[in-house]
Amino acid sequence: MKCLKQPAFLANKPAKISNVWEVHLSEKLWESLAILAKLRRCSYSTITRYCVFRIVEQQNLRTMPLYSSVLTQVREEMRETPNKHRHMLCLYGEDEVALRIAAMRLGITVSALIRLALWLYLPRIAMEKHSSRSVADIVL
């Protein structure tokens, strides 16, 4: 799905949305994302991209034993949730290629990679008050 309209905050910036992906999230995961986005005053997509690229920048993705146990928890939660939320994720430039490569390294789908990233990093972002990493341009 191609995005036809740039957000207002990107009107005069060189970043152009190259693709928009739809990812199904469990209600619990979606509520955590929505609360955090409201507290941080940024978009859902910004927080999702931050979480995903924290995983993508990890070295030796396949050898991390934590991911296999967390993936089973994420899959169980998705099976148990009757209603899933359709989350739209905006991708810029070569984001899509990076996500596909990381998902291939782990041997999972890109949607599972996104769910895994949110499951791992949303609680960490929520606990960080004075982080040196920026999630959005707006500083609280």
Side-chain angles (χ1 to χ4, degrees), residues 12-127:
N12 298 323
K13 296 191 178 178
K16 298 291 181 200
I17 296 174
S18 61
N19 207 350
V20 178
W21 281 354
E22 178 180 306
V23 181
H24 292 198
L25 300 177
S26 66
E27 289 179 8
K28 179 182 172 187
L29 202 55
W30 172 251
E31 287 173 5
S32 300
L33 177 63
I35 290 169
L36 193 57
K38 186 176 180 181
L39 288 173
R40 292 270 182 164
R41 297 183 191 147
C42 58
S43 69
Y44 308 126
S45 191
T46 302
I47 291 182
T48 303
R49 290 180 71 251
Y50 174 81
C51 293
V52 168
F53 284 108
R54 289 291 305 267
I55 282 189
V56 170
E57 70 186 13
Q58 297 287 333
Q59 298 297 323
N60 302 323
L61 290 174
R62 189 179 266 297
T63 61
M64 299 186 114
L66 168 71
Y67 289 167
S68 61
S69 63
V70 172
L71 269 173
T72 57
Q73 292 176 356
V74 171
R75 288 180 181 137
E76 296 263 337
E77 183 177 304
M78 286 299 290
R79 269 189 234 118
E80 293 172 0
T81 305
N83 297 327
K84 295 168 181 63
H85 183 82
R86 297 168 62 184
H87 171 44
M88 305 307 282
L89 174 64
C90 297
L91 300 173
Y92 303 90
E94 297 297 318
D95 290 354
E96 184 175 352
V97 174
L99 295 184
R100 287 182 189 267
I101 290 172
M104 285 178 17
R105 283 185 187 159
L106 285 171
I108 58 176
T109 65
V110 177
S111 295
L113 175 70
I114 293 168
R115 285 186 212 107
L116 173 67
L118 290 173
W119 183 276
L120 288 173
Y121 288 103
L122 279 180
R124 294 177 189 184
I125 294 172
M127 289 174 54

